[in-house]
Amino acid sequence: MNKTDVLKLMELVKAQDPTLVNDLVPAIISTSDLRKIFVNLIRESVSIKDIIFVFERLCDYARFSKEPDILSERLRTALARQICLNYANENSVLYAITLSQEWEKILDDSCQRTELGTMFLLNPMQVQELIESTASTLIRAHQHVGEQPVVLCSPRIRLPLFQLLERHIPTIVVISYSELITDIRVEAVDTVGESESSYDA
């Protein structure tokens, strides 16, 4: 998505509700930040088709933070139904792998906001171990349930975890606990960082 695409979307919203755009851009956030938010969502196959809803939520959330990464994560929570239904199967089951408590803590402790966005301050060995452990857990879980599960983690680490892993596992899907909806059943089938899987027990 380029700047022209963003301007077209803004014009579309303006035609229906001019105040939504005027109250948000550039009064609260810039056009380039709006583009970053949309790119974050689209990159992970989150639809912004209901653009009026997206702008309404952005107007609410931008009062508390103007950071594109934080705003795109807030929007993901607002669009949780779409996200979950996209990855649940026909029986409304969402297969997932989780992170061990140790990995959740390591990632949470090393999570830092920088000028380039939120990222983990990990050493190269930790990064390699996380990538390899996640990849092998996904393969094992896929073989067990017959479809690729999502990675489920805490909201604070979701975006940097996706950004770190996506370069090495292009098909990866990372969802946070705050994006789950009640009318799907989550089945956690394995855990990254634990040597024994639940189905080997």
Side-chain angles (χ1 to χ4, degrees), residues 10 34 62 80 97 105 112 130 137-138 142 151 157 159 161 166 191 195:
M10 287 167 61
L34 187 61
I97 65 170
K105 185 175 188 329
Q112 299 287 331
L130 177 61
T137 306
L138 278 170
H142 193 171
V151 178
I157 66 171
L159 181 59
L161 183 62
E166 187 236 5
T191 303
S195 53

Side-chain angles (χ1 to χ4, degrees), residues 15-171:
Q16 297 180 62
D17 188 345
T19 58
L20 265 182
V21 177
N22 297 336
D23 289 351
L24 187 66
V25 185
I28 301 177
I29 60 174
S30 66
T31 308
S32 61
D33 281 349
L34 187 61
R35 179 184 166 276
K36 284 178 195 167
I37 291 163
F38 291 158
V39 166
N40 275 353
L41 295 171
I42 293 165
R43 184 179 172 191
E44 295 189 64
S45 304
V46 178
S47 171
I48 55 169
K49 191 168 60 178
D50 191 352
I51 194 65
I52 298 291
F53 176 81
V54 168
F55 265 82
E56 285 172 346
R57 296 289 73 76
L58 273 177
C59 284
D60 294 338
Y61 303 148
R63 294 178 193 149
F64 305 100
S65 175
K66 296 171 180 58
E67 280 194 49
D69 284 356
I70 292 174
L71 291 171
S72 59
E73 289 301 286
R74 287 279 192 95
L75 278 172
R76 281 183 63 95
T77 304
L79 297 165
R81 170 167 292 279
Q82 175 207 135
I83 292 169
C84 284
L85 294 179
N86 203 21
Y87 298 107
N89 63 20
E90 64 275 10
N91 299 315
S92 299
V93 174
L94 180 72
Y95 290 114
I97 65 170
T98 56
L99 301 177
S100 66
Q101 286 186 338
E102 185 185 2
W103 268 121
E104 279 272 357
K105 185 175 188 329
I106 289 169
L107 296 179
D108 191 69
D109 289 348
S110 70
C111 196
Q112 299 287 331
R113 288 211 177 93
T114 71
E115 289 180 2
L116 299 172
T118 309
M119 57 183 62
F120 302 126
L121 301 181
L122 299 170
N123 67 52
M125 285 182 68
Q126 286 176 310
V127 172
Q128 192 63 26
E129 186 187 342
L130 177 61
I131 292 163
E132 288 177 0
S133 184
T134 305
S136 61
T137 306
L138 278 170
I139 291 167
R140 196 168 61 218
H142 193 171
Q143 288 169 344
H144 178 69
V145 299
E147 52 191 90
Q148 180 163 318
V150 303
V151 178
L152 196 55
C153 66
S154 61
R156 177 172 146 83
I157 66 171
R158 194 213 69 81
L159 181 59
L161 183 62
F162 168 77
Q163 291 171 336
L164 173 67
L165 295 174
E166 187 236 5
R167 292 193 292 272
H168 308 275
I169 313 168
T171 58

